[in-house]
Amino acid sequence: MSPKLKIWLMLMPALTVITLLFLGGLLLGLARSFNYMPVIGLTDPNVDAYIKVFTNPEFYQALGLSLYIAVTATALATILAVASALLLRETFPGKRIITFLFQLNLTIPHIVGAVAMLFLLTQSGFLARIVHFFGFIERPAGFPILIYDDFSLGIIIQYVWKEAPFMGLITLAILQSMGDDYEAVAQSLGANRWQRLFHVIIPLITPGVMRAYVVAFAFTFGAFEVPYLIGKTYPTVLPVLIYYRYTDVDLAMRPEAMAMALVLAVISTILIFTYMAISRRFTRVD
Amino acid sequence: MTHVLLDNLTITFQGMSHPAVDAIDLEMEEGKLTALLGPSGCGKTTTMKLIAGLLKPSQGDILFDGKSILSVPAEKRNTAMVFQKHLLFPYMSIGENIAFGLRMRREKKAFREQRIKEMLDFVHLPDMARRRPAQLSGGQQQRVALARALVVEPDVLLLDEPLSALDAHLRDEMGELIRSIQTKLGITTLLVTHDQEEAVVLADKIAVMFKGRICQYDKPPVFYQRPASVDVAEFFGARNMIKATMQGKSAETVVGTLEVEPGELTTGKAVLTIRPEEITLGENGVNSLEAKVISKVYMGTHVRVRFLIKGIEIEGLFTKETMSEFQEGRILTLSFPPKSIWAIPD
Amino acid sequence: MAKDTMTMTSQAEKSIVIRRKKHVRRWIAISFLMTFLILPLIPLFIWSFGFNWFFPNVLPTRWGIRAWAYVFDPTAQILPALWDSLVIAIGTVLISLVIGIPAGRALGLNVFRGKRLVEFLVLAPTIVPPLAVVLGIHVVFLKLGLADTLIGVILVHLIPVLPYVTLVLTGVFANYDPEFEDQARSLGAGTITIIWRIMIPSIFPGIIVAALFSFIISWAQYVTTLLIGGGRVQTLPLLLYAFARSGDYAVTGAISVIFITPGILMLLFTSRYLTGKNQALGGIGR
């Protein structure tokens, strides 16, 4: 058997699954969004669904909210991740505990994180009670609204809580493989701590951190579970809006849901590619 | 031109039972290149890092021009290091790399540009400012690293095995460049290396380090003629070590009684050493010994011959013209000129 | 001379003060980090043992094991859901490994025309929100009778799982030396022997990491199970949310604790493999 044939044979199962389920799903969704599904008797394609989507202010609201949450949460998570990684680089008593906590966090799914934030951050939640215990507030109403709120703060906090350890461990791995030689050079040439951070460490870790950022951003942008539980019902993020449309009693909503889903997929892909292009130009490493 | 003094300098790392650098005293003359020479793990790079301020000593002091600099942080010490790996910042251009130190001092752009051009000319790499490190060859990268260190006009230049990553022919070129720059600028320089040839070629004085201690600090030729210990002698390629008991001008050894030149060592146990190239063929005055040829190796310009004298292996180095004399198994007479024999205290 | 010594002492004192400040700063950072990581998890545990727990009490006024009794009640929904979650997750792990190992081998050991496209396809599900894909498949699954079935859910879980499994295994195979196999073959070993006795043991740590990823991703799936399972397939995540929304926080807490237990166990059990995980993580997106 020719080696080339062997390669494609080994790839066959994976490619089949991806083509049938993933690409197939996208294509079917695309067809359905054009109201074209011979399988259930729809043979008249039209763009009605798309027109409805693009003229619907609700869609843009949802899109904007998804973007806002993804950008804010991932940015905050990145800052926290880099700071943690710099801290974890050094040796200190308790380092193993913190490293373990980071890894532990990775095993906790977002849905549990959402529930945890629900218990923690409501106005009568655990954090509010602790704050009350120390005398900072009198009643639940004194605690800021973080769940089902207008700024999606609880959602953002959850994503930061989950993404920061993930990105932190990746950053730590990058720092460790980088070694501290470059910093030694910079220091011997007169760079103080902050200068070393901005001129040496950050440029060197940016390529790797950007990749992690992109993964985290993509996930947060298309995420359903967390806003579904602790987000406002209206306005909500795009994936949840799509779900509501799809499961609406009125079946005519379905093509609209599909259209929105496909637009979501396209926007997500464009955003990712844009990020990657920007990061490549920004880092200018060979 | 800064005078550097290491005073009882010691550092013990956490968890280690013995110091990595053990109470060393060293005086680096201003404007000269001092080599710190020793095998891997002897503490030479650690010493350099102490001088640079990247490590803090457990004991002792480091003085620049008579003033202690221990409390001065590394970034303010005005020392500059060149590493074995060039460690040029891959995301900066050559010019930006060179001007890095100036930029950290917030020097103006025009000044930086001018200095970049000057340094590039100085290391024979004109017009390379816009290129990226990855586009340069290994030798060129190392020269840029040197320029980057020199541009900040350091008081002390620290070179950590700068030649060991380079190919043989580049090593000579780079070595010459370092030597000429160092003499021209008159910067007090410390060169750390494990290669004694490198030290001998580049240094004004060499400090040999073993296990955290300095064993001998002298000008290069001394190490060949008068090594202070067996370790130092072997490190510099001394081959023939003969145990002896000193009695004034004579030394009692297994191979016989040898006449030596009167030196500091007149009694007690010693190790005699004579360099292979100093051994002469035939009877030439005193110290003639009978030797059996064991093997010979032709080395291009010379021939290296191994002998057996009363059970001791002796190595000699002779010109290629005499090659035919050394047939295996043949018994010859060798002479050990007294002035070439050096007695090391045991 | 005296002035010099005085300056030296005050300078030495100053450096001690600076060092102490640095340590204090570090301890503040560590405490904040630890609190941030652990705090959200605490109410989960407390709730599961709480009988009466209202604002402003930081701890329950009455403790009880009602929630736990309910969870382990064989007539309640929890245990069957736990079982289904396990079956689905393990099924996903097995199938994804069978697909992912040959794919990882093909990608890790070879360079071939079209490799970039294949890599892109394999990683695409991480960029595209799963919602878009699943909605499209839903109709077809309905027609094929795969909706509302365990196997249907397993299939759809493969979509988010395969990229990670393939990624990890590709990384493992990139460091794998096939010469061992050639040697074995020259000694007369057959293909199956080679696979079983040489390849699998060599890449075993990678298999463990890939299986871990696969399990955790499938274990935590919500919207995919929600849509394809159609209410018939009840997994633990679905139950978790149902109880959270219904307000029965005690049972929600108990389910959460059960839900995160396998992940924690795996972390403890495989922590030695996970130190190599850093390399795998560092390879994400390469």
Side-chain angles (χ1 to χ4, degrees), chain B residues 65-87:
Chain B
D65 286 334
K67 265 181 68 174
S68 169
I69 48 125
L70 273 192
S71 51
V72 179
E75 51 263 26
K76 294 215 173 69
R77 268 193 203 186
N78 214 19
T79 57
M81 263 181 96
V82 177
F83 288 72
Q84 202 175 0
K85 300 181 285 185
H86 55 82
L87 291 175

Side-chain angles (χ1 to χ4, degrees), chain A residues 72-207:
Chain A
T72 317
T74 321
L76 287 174
T78 310
I79 296 175
L80 191 58
V82 173
S84 311
L86 289 172
L87 175 69
L88 285 177
R89 243 198 330 180
E90 308 169 27
T91 337
F92 52 86
K95 173 180 172 170
R96 289 179 74 187
I97 302 178
I98 293 217
T99 314
F100 176 73
L101 285 178
F102 267 62
Q103 292 171 332
L104 178 69
N105 180 292
L106 290 182
T107 68
I108 298 179
H110 283 271
I111 46 181
V112 174
V115 170
M117 293 303 159
L118 182 66
F119 288 175
L120 183 72
L121 300 175
T122 55
Q123 287 184 301
S124 58
F126 191 60
L127 190 57
R129 302 180 196 196
I130 294 180
V131 168
H132 173 271
F133 181 79
F134 285 108
F136 289 112
I137 61 171
E138 291 284 309
R139 309 156 301 155
F143 192 78
I145 304 180
L146 298 171
I147 304 290
Y148 314 124
D149 67 312
D150 292 327
F151 295 101
S152 305
L153 292 175
I155 299 177
I156 292 177
I157 294 176
Q158 202 284 142
Y159 282 124
V160 172
W161 184 74
K162 273 290 291 175
E163 305 286 13
F166 167 71
M167 298 178 73
L169 287 176
I170 292 183
T171 312
L172 183 63
I174 297 175
L175 282 172
Q176 283 169 335
S177 71
M178 202 171 88
D180 50 11
D181 285 338
Y182 283 104
E183 288 165 83
V185 173
Q187 195 175 12
S188 86
L189 290 170
N192 63 37
R193 233 171 7 125
W194 294 109
Q195 288 174 318
R196 298 201 292 274
L197 179 65
F198 281 114
H199 294 286
V200 180
I201 298 182
I202 290 185
L204 281 175
I205 63 175
T206 297

